[in-house]
Amino acid sequence: MRRGSIKINPSLTALAIVIFLSVSSLGYFIFARSSDPFKGIEKLDVISYVDSAKTFQGGVFWIEGTVDEVLKVKNGYGKLVSIAVSTSQGVNVIPLLVPLSFNSFNLQKGQNLKIKVRGIDGGLLKAENIEKSS
């Protein structure tokens, strides 16, 4: 007895591949966006922060700037650095506390960073997430 052969329509195969690639791309896009630590966080208004840092206490923001100087390293606390941030009024330099949890992150003068920050006591900003930016 002879077996019948199954014929696959090439247009259905192409359609299946397109659907698979579309669903895969959509899944990747959703996953990549959901893992973004800066998603849904407001950019810090640096000019307002310079005018009144204490009003930002307790808030979570993000900044993008350049490491200006590593000001002080204090055992048990981390590093105090200055970050130069471009604003509509020029460049403002603001202080940032980088906790010990970022010791493996080598901060260097002139390095461009995107940083998730939280306002702590007295309006000082504390890094919660740091990424290198271009």
PDB file of all heavy atoms in Angstrom, residues 11 17 21 78 102 106:
ATOM      1  N   SER A  11       2.549  29.453   1.134  1.00  0.00           N
ATOM      2  CA  SER A  11       2.045  30.730   1.655  1.00  0.00           C
ATOM      3  C   SER A  11       1.633  30.589   3.119  1.00  0.00           C
ATOM      4  O   SER A  11       1.791  31.524   3.906  1.00  0.00           O
ATOM      5  CB  SER A  11       0.888  31.254   0.806  1.00  0.00           C
ATOM      6  OG  SER A  11      -0.176  30.336   0.802  1.00  0.00           O
ATOM      7  N   ILE A  17       5.534  31.886   9.762  1.00  0.00           N
ATOM      8  CA  ILE A  17       6.823  32.474  10.140  1.00  0.00           C
ATOM      9  C   ILE A  17       6.663  33.951  10.486  1.00  0.00           C
ATOM     10  O   ILE A  17       7.200  34.443  11.483  1.00  0.00           O
ATOM     11  CB  ILE A  17       7.861  32.267   9.010  1.00  0.00           C
ATOM     12  CG1 ILE A  17       8.230  30.784   8.912  1.00  0.00           C
ATOM     13  CG2 ILE A  17       9.102  33.121   9.246  1.00  0.00           C
ATOM     14  CD1 ILE A  17       9.081  30.441   7.710  1.00  0.00           C
ATOM     15  N   LEU A  21       7.453  35.558  14.170  1.00  0.00           N
ATOM     16  CA  LEU A  21       8.404  36.658  14.339  1.00  0.00           C
ATOM     17  C   LEU A  21       7.743  37.891  14.951  1.00  0.00           C
ATOM     18  O   LEU A  21       8.339  38.579  15.789  1.00  0.00           O
ATOM     19  CB  LEU A  21       9.070  37.006  13.011  1.00  0.00           C
ATOM     20  CG  LEU A  21      10.019  35.941  12.446  1.00  0.00           C
ATOM     21  CD1 LEU A  21      10.515  36.358  11.069  1.00  0.00           C
ATOM     22  CD2 LEU A  21      11.186  35.715  13.391  1.00  0.00           C
ATOM     23  N   GLY A  78      29.869  55.065  51.483  1.00  0.00           N
ATOM     24  CA  GLY A  78      30.028  55.081  50.041  1.00  0.00           C
ATOM     25  C   GLY A  78      30.827  56.288  49.601  1.00  0.00           C
ATOM     26  O   GLY A  78      31.676  56.784  50.346  1.00  0.00           O
ATOM     27  N   PHE A 102      27.368  50.030  45.163  1.00  0.00           N
ATOM     28  CA  PHE A 102      27.904  50.327  43.835  1.00  0.00           C
ATOM     29  C   PHE A 102      29.431  50.320  43.810  1.00  0.00           C
ATOM     30  O   PHE A 102      30.039  50.857  42.889  1.00  0.00           O
ATOM     31  CB  PHE A 102      27.386  51.687  43.332  1.00  0.00           C
ATOM     32  CG  PHE A 102      25.919  51.694  43.048  1.00  0.00           C
ATOM     33  CD1 PHE A 102      25.037  52.255  43.947  1.00  0.00           C
ATOM     34  CD2 PHE A 102      25.418  51.122  41.892  1.00  0.00           C
ATOM     35  CE1 PHE A 102      23.676  52.257  43.694  1.00  0.00           C
ATOM     36  CE2 PHE A 102      24.058  51.115  41.630  1.00  0.00           C
ATOM     37  CZ  PHE A 102      23.186  51.686  42.535  1.00  0.00           C
ATOM     38  N   ASN A 106      32.952  51.328  38.783  1.00  0.00           N
ATOM     39  CA  ASN A 106      34.116  52.200  38.839  1.00  0.00           C
ATOM     40  C   ASN A 106      33.759  53.595  38.313  1.00  0.00           C
ATOM     41  O   ASN A 106      33.715  53.818  37.110  1.00  0.00           O
ATOM     42  CB  ASN A 106      35.256  51.584  38.025  1.00  0.00           C
ATOM     43  CG  ASN A 106      36.553  52.343  38.186  1.00  0.00           C
ATOM     44  OD1 ASN A 106      36.715  53.111  39.118  1.00  0.00           O
ATOM     45  ND2 ASN A 106      37.465  52.137  37.259  1.00  0.00           N
TER      46      ASN A 106
END
